[in-house]
Amino acid sequence: MSRYISPVLYILLMLVGCAAFISIAGVRVGLFEPLTGFSLLRQSVFAALILSALAALSMFACRKECNVSSQRFFGLVLIVSLVYSFMWIVFYAERCNLPDINDITTDTVTPPAFLNVNFLRKSNENGLSYNPKWGPIQKANYPGVKPITTTKSIDVTYQKALDLVKERGWQLNAFYPEVGIIEATARTPIFGFRDDVVIRVAEVDGEVRVDMRSCSRVGSGDFGMNARRIEHYMADLNANLNSRPMDRVHYLK
């Protein structure tokens, strides 16, 4: 029996692998939208769980056969499919308790406003009006999302903020030094979901304050991605503003 089951399991394993590859690669090369790729990946996880069950049943059904190679193959299929499915299940489980919000800002009272992104978003994508009800939710779940202040001049601060956006590889949509606004679009690492970013550099009470806002184009939640983006960007910008010229050494590769 095992000689008939093995080819079937092999084909199913290859199909799951192809679905996983296409779900990510297809988005990255622009064949379909990130939501479509995410849906395909989710289906591949379900398929991997079913494949795990089939592999386990095959091992049980063929346990009396003296075909060691088939038993090893069934075990390999079981391990590979379980590792793949549980990897994504754990990834989701770690983020499922995060709030269902997709617009994060360091200033929840007067968030930085987008100027050009309004013309880039499609009609079926999320709007850019900030929901004030999200402020308390954000503060409770993402306390590290805060603005930074500096005694450096506004011109120096703005230039370092702009340089850091370029270093990140974000798509620069617009920048207005005269009003201290920078607009860009970042993409998530795996599926390439587009999140729009606006940075505001302004003088407040004798200091220069930098605020940032990051919001997703699609989806009701963001799995904490916008908050992490802001926290990492602000930490690096703060380090750049406070570092001396010799503190940062760049090596040629």
Side-chain angles (χ1 to χ4, degrees):
M1 184 187 298
S2 60
R3 64 176 181 174
Y4 300 108
I5 298 177
S6 296
V8 174
L9 291 182
Y10 178 79
I11 293 173
L12 292 176
L13 182 63
M14 291 299 102
L15 289 176
V16 170
C18 288
F21 175 79
I22 293 173
S23 66
I24 298 175
V27 172
R28 303 307 298 185
V29 300
L31 290 179
F32 41 76
E33 291 298 316
L35 282 177
T36 303
F38 185 76
S39 176
L40 180 59
L41 180 71
R42 183 172 54 188
Q43 293 173 14
S44 74
V45 172
F46 292 146
L49 290 173
I50 295 174
L51 181 58
S52 300
L54 292 176
L57 289 174
S58 299
M59 292 180 66
F60 179 78
C62 303
R63 68 188 185 283
K64 294 183 180 181
E65 294 185 11
C66 297
N67 193 334
V68 178
S69 60
S70 294
Q71 289 293 327
R72 289 177 177 174
F73 176 73
F74 296 154
L76 178 63
V77 173
L78 176 63
I79 293 172
V80 171
S81 56
L82 280 178
V83 169
Y84 171 75
S85 55
F86 276 103
M87 177 184 70
W88 288 110
I89 290 173
V90 170
F91 175 84
Y92 176 78
E94 290 177 345
R95 294 161 175 80
C96 65
N97 292 326
L98 293 174
D100 196 26
I101 58 178
N102 56 34
D103 193 344
I104 305 298
T105 175
T106 58
D107 187 348
T108 58
V109 178
T110 310
F114 289 96
L115 301 178
N116 286 272
V117 173
N118 297 277
F119 304 103
L120 299 178
R121 291 199 170 188
K122 301 176 182 178
S123 59
N124 61 339
E125 294 177 335
N126 295 329
L128 291 171
S129 298
Y130 183 75
N131 187 346
K133 295 181 180 179
W134 289 347
I137 300 175
Q138 174 191 305
K139 292 179 180 179
N141 290 272
Y142 307 119
V145 176
K146 298 179 181 178
I148 62 172
T149 58
T150 178
T151 56
K152 297 290 178 67
S153 70
I154 191 169
D155 293 335
V156 170
T157 304
Y158 182 88
Q159 188 59 50
K160 286 187 176 292
L162 181 60
D163 291 341
L164 187 56
V165 168
K166 295 177 180 178
E167 289 179 18
R168 286 286 201 275
W170 298 345
Q171 176 186 317
L172 187 62
N173 297 324
F175 58 100
Y176 302 99
E178 60 276 9
V179 292
I181 294 294
I182 302 171
E183 288 185 314
T185 299
R187 301 193 69 179
T188 57
I190 299 177
F191 286 102
F193 284 99
R194 290 178 176 83
D195 300 331
D196 293 308
V197 173
V198 57
I199 300 164
R200 182 179 65 200
V201 182
E203 290 187 6
V204 179
D205 298 330
E207 291 184 317
V208 175
R209 169 170 164 158
V210 182
D211 282 289
M212 181 175 176
R213 181 182 173 190
S214 180
C215 55
S216 306
R217 291 195 182 185
V218 296
S220 58
D222 62 0
F223 293 113
M225 181 59 67
N226 288 305
R228 286 194 296 273
R229 179 180 297 111
I230 293 176
E231 290 175 355
H232 293 166
Y233 178 89
M234 292 302 228
D236 288 347
L237 179 60
N238 188 56
N240 290 349
L241 290 169
N242 294 319
S243 65
R244 293 173 296 179
M246 292 301 295
D247 288 340
R248 297 172 65 86
V249 181
H250 299 272
Y251 295 92
L252 294 177
K253 296 182 179 180

